[in-house]
Amino acid sequence: MKKINLKVVSLLLCGTLMFTSCIGSYSLFNKYENWQCHMTGNKYINGIVGLVLQGIVAPVCLTVDCLVLNTIEFWSGSNPLAENTRYVKGEDGRYYAVKTTKTGYEIKSPNGEVTYLIHDAKADSWTMKQQGVVKEIFRFNADGTIRATLNDGQTITVTNDQAGLDQIREAVKGNGVLYANR
């Protein structure tokens, strides 16, 4: 009787380790899944290849993620395969690579031009560096307002709310009023 209780207790303790809510980013499996869904422009071919590889590659990726990468992520705070680059569709319809850095962002356009958005914690400001030219975009003031630099170099101080954002939009685009003619 004592052996059975010991086995039950040890199985329950082992089972509790599986439900500790220690979930990582599963970056290896997510990269495989993203590749599998977008490897060709045809979703049917992607599905067929996915069915073939699903039984082989997916379990390996999940096992490596669960046992190795998520453990590293838990203890170190970062996953070695975690991607810090996102692709964002711009207003022009093209995709830009936005990479997170320690001090801000690195934005790479489709033609290869790189723009940096840099946060200065001391001054509580954001600057833009493009082709060697550094320009302050905006600064948070001590009184809660924001000082924004317009395209022509002039600055405007606005409140930190929707009304302030509307003021900046108006200053950048003009008055923003459109008239219709018949």
Side-chain angles (χ1 to χ4, degrees):
M1 190 76 164
K2 197 173 189 179
K3 273 188 165 180
I4 294 173
N5 288 338
L6 186 59
K7 286 182 182 180
V8 171
V9 169
S10 44
L11 282 174
L12 287 174
L13 285 174
C14 289
T16 59
L17 293 175
M18 294 177 65
F19 303 106
T20 59
S21 295
C22 186
I23 298 174
S25 61
Y26 288 92
S27 57
L28 180 63
F29 182 79
N30 290 335
K31 284 184 180 198
Y32 160 71
E33 184 269 335
N34 187 36
W35 170 80
Q36 189 263 319
C37 290
H38 300 98
M39 70 179 125
T40 67
N42 188 328
K43 66 180 178 180
Y44 300 107
I45 293 174
N46 293 347
I48 292 169
V49 173
L51 285 173
V52 172
L53 294 178
Q54 193 70 28
I56 302 165
V57 179
V60 171
C61 290
L62 278 173
T63 304
V64 170
D65 262 335
C66 285
L67 298 177
V68 179
L69 297 175
N70 287 346
T71 304
I72 292 170
E73 184 176 1
F74 175 76
W75 291 106
S76 70
S78 66
N79 190 313
L81 292 181
E83 191 172 293
N84 65 352
T85 301
R86 301 274 186 241
Y87 295 92
V88 179
K89 188 175 185 178
E91 290 181 2
D92 58 0
R94 302 184 309 168
Y95 284 91
Y96 294 80
V98 180
K99 181 179 180 181
T100 306
T101 64
K102 289 182 179 181
T103 58
Y105 301 97
E106 174 186 303
I107 303 167
K108 189 171 189 178
S109 68
N111 62 3
E113 184 178 303
V114 179
T115 302
Y116 297 95
L117 297 178
I118 304 162
H119 180 252
D120 181 2
K122 268 187 173 177
D124 204 8
S125 67
W126 282 88
T127 58
M128 178 177 70
K129 181 179 177 185
Q130 189 175 38
Q131 297 175 345
V133 178
V134 178
K135 175 184 172 186
E136 183 178 278
I137 302 171
F138 64 90
R139 172 184 304 262
F140 293 98
N141 297 325
D143 62 357
T145 60
I146 297 174
R147 185 180 78 189
T149 305
L150 303 176
N151 293 338
D152 60 2
Q154 294 181 352
T155 60
I156 182 172
T157 302
V158 296
T159 56
N160 189 6
D161 57 7
Q162 185 63 42
L165 181 60
D166 291 341
Q167 283 179 323
I168 293 173
R169 282 188 181 144
E170 186 177 315
V172 170
K173 292 184 178 181
N175 64 6
V177 178
L178 301 174
Y179 296 98
N181 291 330
R182 275 194 187 194

